[in-house]
């Protein structure tokens, strides 16, 4: 194998041992299974050290034995492995995505996100008449921009020499959960904050026909479904949205799932302890009528990234940076807020 093949095979063998990659998966290196029973991290470290020495000019001092953990090849290979489990774990904890709309942005600069304000109803046109005009304008909207959250973690030489892949992977899985928690916290805080939208009015108000001061029950759910369908756009047109998501405070989860199942409703239930006791919401599909937007960097595979990093304190081990981008923005009020 070439050096790159050897490193790739070890990276995949690490994932196989961690249970994050099937040995017969199409994307797995064909030789990865050959290394599963070896001390993968020390073996990879020694190889990376030898590769680094082979690149040195003739006559220069060789690397200290065991220093392969500090090479770029080793850091990049282990980062690629832990990145997989971190991003997978984050994806498993992104339940809030169900009721939010993803909005791509190209950088961290603040930008405006106005509400949709254009009349889209089509009017009857008598023969020879002109069509009524509607204008889509870029009016002032809510300001939002991506923010970075993160932590650096040092994987000690002792852990690497012990080949404790399980400990390393569990640690970075926890970082994936933490990254999802950052965005979820922002989303639930925003919907509960009753933010002022770009038209100068709050997201939820009795005057908007989107507040139901009732505990969750079959009759309350039925009433909220009728309210959601009856909501009007800024031009007075009935929107008639299908309910798609019910978001509930944690202690209401069992009741919510029972109501949905017994009524045969096509509703996703999202439960969270981040809502106050008794709170529940009914929302349409966020792609059709978004209420909360999640900002995501254009082209990124995942909001969370793992990369090797130089340890400025020169401690014995390998440093990694864990970073996630997150931001939310209010987009509309097409939702029913329930609870006493």
């Amino acid at each position: 194998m070439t050096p790159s093949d050897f490193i790739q095979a070890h990276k995949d063998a690490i994932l196989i041992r961690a249970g994050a990659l099937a040995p017969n998966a199409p994307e797995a290196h064909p030789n990865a299974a050959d290394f599963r029973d070896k001390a993968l991290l020390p073996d990879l470290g020694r190889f990376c050290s030898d590769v680094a020495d082979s690149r040195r000019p003739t006559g220069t001092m060789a690397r200290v034995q065991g220093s392969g953990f500090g090479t770029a090849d080793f850091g990049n290979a282990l980062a690629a492995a832990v990145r997989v489990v971190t991003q997978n774990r984050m994806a498993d904890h992104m339940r809030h995505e169900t009721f939010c709309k993803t909005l791509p942005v190209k950088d961290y600069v603040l930008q405006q996100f106005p509400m949709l304000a254009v009349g889209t109803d089509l009017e009857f046109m008598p023969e020879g008449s002109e069509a009524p005009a509607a204008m889509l304008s870029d009016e002032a909207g809510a300001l939002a921009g991506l923010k970075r959250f993160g932590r650096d973690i040092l994987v000690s030489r002792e852990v690497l020499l012990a080949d404790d892949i399980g400990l390393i992977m569990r640690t970075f899985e926890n970082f994936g959960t933490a990254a999802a928690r950052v965005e979820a916290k922002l989303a639930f805080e925003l919907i509960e904050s009753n933010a002022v939208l770009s038209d100068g009015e709050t997201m939820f108000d009795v005057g908007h026909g989107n507040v139901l001061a009732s505990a969750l029950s079959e009759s309350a759910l039925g009433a909220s479904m009728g309210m959601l369908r009856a909501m009007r756009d800024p031009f007075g047109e009935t929107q008639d949205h299908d309910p798609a998501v019910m978001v509930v405070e944690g202690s209401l989860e069992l009741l919510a799932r029972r109501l949905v199942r017994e009524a045969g409703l096509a509703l996703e239930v999202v439960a969270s302890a981040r809502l106050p006791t008794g709170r529940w919401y009914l929302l349409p599909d966020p792609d059709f009528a978004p209420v909360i937007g999640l900002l995501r960097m254009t082209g990124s595979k995942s909001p969370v990234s793992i990369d090797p990093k130089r340890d400025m304190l020169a401690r014995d081990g390998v440093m990694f940076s864990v970073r996630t981008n997150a931001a939310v923005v209010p987009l509309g009020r097409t939702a029913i807020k329930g609870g006493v």
Side-chain angles (χ1 to χ4, degrees):
M1 288 187 289
T2 65
S4 61
D5 271 331
F6 187 93
I7 293 171
Q8 179 68 33
H10 272 68
K11 187 267 290 183
D12 287 349
I14 291 170
L15 289 172
I16 291 171
R17 184 178 296 176
L21 181 67
N24 58 351
E27 64 271 25
H29 192 282
N31 297 107
D34 300 339
F35 299 103
R36 282 185 298 173
D37 298 327
K38 291 191 174 184
L40 292 173
L41 298 178
D43 194 30
L44 180 59
R46 286 190 295 271
F47 181 83
C48 290
S49 179
D50 291 342
V51 170
D53 284 341
S54 70
R55 294 169 180 165
R56 290 176 175 274
T58 303
T60 58
M61 184 178 297
R63 298 177 66 87
V64 177
Q65 185 177 7
S67 62
F69 294 147
T71 63
D73 284 337
F74 182 87
N76 288 330
L78 186 53
V82 298
R83 190 180 298 126
V84 171
V85 298
T86 306
Q87 294 179 347
N88 288 348
R89 179 58 62 89
M90 182 181 189
D92 290 340
H93 287 77
M94 300 291 280
R95 293 181 295 274
H96 59 278
E97 287 183 322
T98 307
F99 64 92
C100 300
K101 182 176 179 61
T102 300
L103 303 173
V105 294
K106 62 181 180 180
D107 51 37
Y108 293 90
V109 177
L110 286 174
Q111 58 182 289
Q112 291 183 333
F113 295 88
M115 294 174 63
L116 180 62
V118 57
T120 56
D121 52 310
L122 303 179
E123 300 184 12
F124 172 69
M125 294 176 55
E127 189 69 29
S129 65
E130 292 292 330
M135 181 178 69
L136 178 63
S137 60
D138 187 12
E139 300 177 354
L143 277 174
L146 278 174
K147 296 180 176 64
R148 298 194 79 192
F149 302 81
R151 181 179 289 274
D152 295 338
I153 179 169
L154 179 72
V155 180
S156 70
R157 177 175 293 275
E158 289 76 15
V159 171
L160 296 171
L161 288 173
D163 201 34
D164 200 340
I165 291 172
L167 175 62
I168 295 171
M169 294 304 184
R170 289 193 300 273
T171 298
F172 280 91
E173 284 178 336
N174 288 338
F175 278 119
T177 303
R181 191 184 304 131
V182 167
E183 192 175 74
K185 183 178 180 181
L186 294 175
F188 284 108
E189 285 179 347
L190 177 57
I191 197 171
E192 191 62 26
S193 71
N194 202 16
V196 175
L197 302 182
S198 56
D199 60 2
E201 300 183 31
T202 56
M203 183 181 290
F204 296 102
D205 188 270
V206 173
H208 295 310
N210 64 356
V211 175
L212 180 60
S214 299
L216 181 61
S217 65
E218 182 178 358
S219 60
L221 177 57
S224 67
M225 293 170 69
M227 292 170 65
L228 185 63
R229 288 195 177 278
M231 287 187 70
R232 298 179 180 272
D233 66 18
F235 302 91
E237 185 70 21
T238 300
Q239 298 180 77
D240 203 16
H241 284 300
D242 293 329
V245 186
M246 182 159 53
V247 182
V248 300
E249 176 262 323
S251 67
L252 298 176
E253 182 175 5
L254 178 61
L255 173 59
R257 295 190 183 279
R258 180 184 298 149
L259 290 172
V260 169
R261 184 184 67 253
E262 292 179 352
L265 298 173
L267 278 179
E268 290 282 345
V269 175
V270 177
S272 175
R274 301 188 182 281
L275 294 175
T277 302
R279 175 72 69 232
W280 57 279
Y281 294 89
L282 185 69
L283 302 94
D285 188 321
D287 287 335
F288 299 149
V291 174
I292 293 177
L294 303 177
L295 274 58
R296 297 283 173 78
M297 192 69 76
T298 301
S300 63
K301 178 183 177 182
S302 170
V304 66
S305 61
I306 310 289
D307 294 291
K309 181 181 179 181
R310 180 183 177 188
D311 181 14
M312 302 306 294
L313 299 179
R315 288 167 290 188
D316 203 11
V318 182
M319 178 77 79
F320 295 97
S321 66
V322 182
R323 303 288 184 267
T324 190
N325 299 318
V328 296
V329 62
L331 297 175
R333 58 173 60 90
T334 310
I336 308 301
K337 181 178 183 178
V340 178

